Amino acid sequence: VEWLLGKISLRPLTGADCVLIVLLGIVTLSALLSGQPDIADGVTSKWGRLLASFLLPTVLYIIVRQLAITERDWSRVLVALVCLGVYLAVTGVCEVAGVWSLVFPRYIADPELGIHFGRARGPELNSVSLGLYITACCVCAAALYPQAKQRWQQLALICALPVMTFGLLLTYTRSTWIG
């Protein structure tokens, strides 16, 4: 919106941007030329994965790259991601414990949907994705800790990390544990 109003101008491309463009071209071409996978989880298609894993994050990257982000803005983003991580972890704990009344959204309780039922799998119904997201949120909490100026903020971050780590462990996914 700010770009359309003339408040910001597009920044010139960098080497990393060119690498991203080449990567997007390769994965899009791969999706165009490949057939259906022999083994599919029945939930997502190659187009859904291309969109969710590459195209939408690229759009987000382009938008964020154009903005002038202050330290305060960055801290707010980190706080939001820590809150997301706590939500995902608590949802995962409730899934494994079978406390379905506290699991939101409700479709997570359906064993017919997605894969990895019985593990912490989150809203995407995939324990590997959940583990990746919780790991990223743990990194955000660690990055936010030095900026926390008050004791209650530091205490909240220290309490959030074990909750997220426990949720991560309940994914029962070695690849996320290693990460």
Side-chain angles (χ1 to χ4, degrees):
V1 170
E2 289 184 359
W3 174 66
L4 290 174
L5 295 175
K7 293 183 178 181
I8 59 172
S9 59
L10 296 179
R11 295 183 181 175
L13 293 177
T14 65
D17 297 330
C18 295
V19 170
L20 179 61
I21 290 168
V22 170
L23 173 67
L24 286 176
I26 290 170
V27 295
T28 303
L29 188 63
S30 174
L32 284 170
L33 298 177
S34 67
Q36 287 295 79
D38 294 335
I39 299 173
D41 61 12
V43 178
T44 57
S45 68
K46 62 182 178 182
W47 301 111
R49 290 176 193 247
L50 177 69
L51 181 68
S53 299
F54 293 97
L55 299 180
L56 290 177
T58 299
V59 169
L60 182 61
Y61 166 76
I62 291 168
I63 291 169
V64 170
R65 188 175 177 282
Q66 303 307 318
L67 300 176
I69 299 174
T70 65
E71 185 176 336
R72 185 174 184 176
D73 296 332
W74 180 242
S75 295
R76 288 179 178 169
V77 169
L78 292 177
V79 167
L81 288 172
V82 169
C83 291
L84 174 66
V86 170
Y87 154 73
L88 291 173
V90 169
T91 298
V93 169
C94 291
E95 277 184 82
V96 173
V99 185
W100 299 112
S101 61
L102 298 179
V103 173
F104 179 80
R106 299 276 182 230
Y107 66 83
I108 296 172
D110 187 352
E112 300 297 319
L113 297 177
I115 56 177
H116 307 145
F117 189 77
R119 306 190 215 179
R121 58 189 192 149
E124 283 196 4
L125 305 176
N126 186 310
S127 61
V128 177
S129 296
L130 180 68
L132 177 67
Y133 301 146
I134 292 175
T135 301
C137 293
C138 284
V139 171
C140 291
L144 191 58
Y145 186 82
Q147 298 175 13
K149 299 193 180 2
Q150 297 177 354
R151 285 281 191 216
W152 72 268
Q153 295 170 333
Q154 294 171 343
L155 180 63
L157 291 169
I158 288 173
C159 291
L161 279 169
V163 170
M164 289 189 284
T165 302
F166 188 57
L168 178 66
L169 290 174
L170 292 179
T171 64
Y172 303 126
T173 307
R174 291 181 305 271
S175 62
T176 59
W177 295 346
I178 292 169

